[in-house]
Amino acid sequence: MFTSPMLILAADMEDMLKCPGRRFIEEVPVVWDENYVLPESKIGNLAAIARRKGDIWYLSVLNGEQEKSVSLNLNFLPEGKYKMVIAYDKGRKEILMDTKTIKSRKSLNIKLLSGGGYLARFERI
């Protein structure tokens, strides 16, 4: 979510080493070619940002205090079909990974925990 040449995660080192999302997190670029704030973002409630590095798009979502379900429009993706790799919260210390196929110009429905987050990487197939 943050723009920085060095990313620091506030987490227990053992938790990070065992985390199924570790590789995904390590591969996130720190310099971007394009940034797009999704219109569903609301200060203090929800932050949703799409960023592009080369041909790969990343989506980062941070939730506010209230647990919620959100529908995010994927208009930022150029026309096509994409492999989507996802990292999301199952609980306070549990991250789940998943892979799906999705088309551009669709909506993505996600459930967010209080203070939770959601990450996705989109690669055209």
Side-chain angles (χ1 to χ4, degrees):
M1 181 66 63
F2 304 105
T3 301
S4 172
M6 184 173 85
L7 297 177
I8 298 172
L9 302 172
D12 183 304
M13 181 57 75
E14 287 185 26
D15 289 344
M16 283 305 298
L17 291 173
K18 293 186 283 185
C19 176
R22 177 181 168 200
R23 183 179 216 169
F24 181 93
I25 294 166
E26 289 173 343
E27 293 173 351
V28 173
V30 294
V31 178
W32 304 96
D33 297 327
E34 187 175 353
N35 297 289
Y36 177 76
V37 177
L38 276 67
E40 295 85 358
S41 297
K42 290 183 178 65
I43 294 173
N45 189 24
L46 181 78
I49 297 177
R51 290 190 166 124
R52 180 182 59 80
K53 178 67 174 180
D55 293 333
I56 301 174
W57 280 90
Y58 291 81
L59 173 65
S60 175
V61 181
L62 291 177
N63 191 27
E65 294 180 13
Q66 302 298 317
E67 186 174 305
K68 65 177 70 73
S69 292
V70 180
S71 180
L72 300 173
N73 195 316
L74 301 178
N75 312 9
F76 59 88
L77 291 173
E79 194 68 34
K81 193 173 184 181
Y82 291 82
K83 173 184 172 190
M84 182 171 81
V85 178
I86 310 157
Y88 60 97
D89 303 311
K90 180 179 179 191
R92 290 286 173 221
K93 290 184 105 178
E94 188 175 0
I95 295 175
L96 296 179
M97 299 294 299
D98 197 4
T99 302
K100 296 180 180 182
T101 301
I102 193 164
K103 290 183 180 178
S104 58
R105 311 297 181 212
K106 299 289 181 185
S107 290
L108 179 63
N109 298 311
I110 59 175
K111 184 173 180 174
L112 296 163
L113 299 176
S114 168
Y118 184 93
L119 298 170
R121 180 178 64 229
F122 301 89
E123 294 182 67
R124 191 188 302 251
I125 51 175

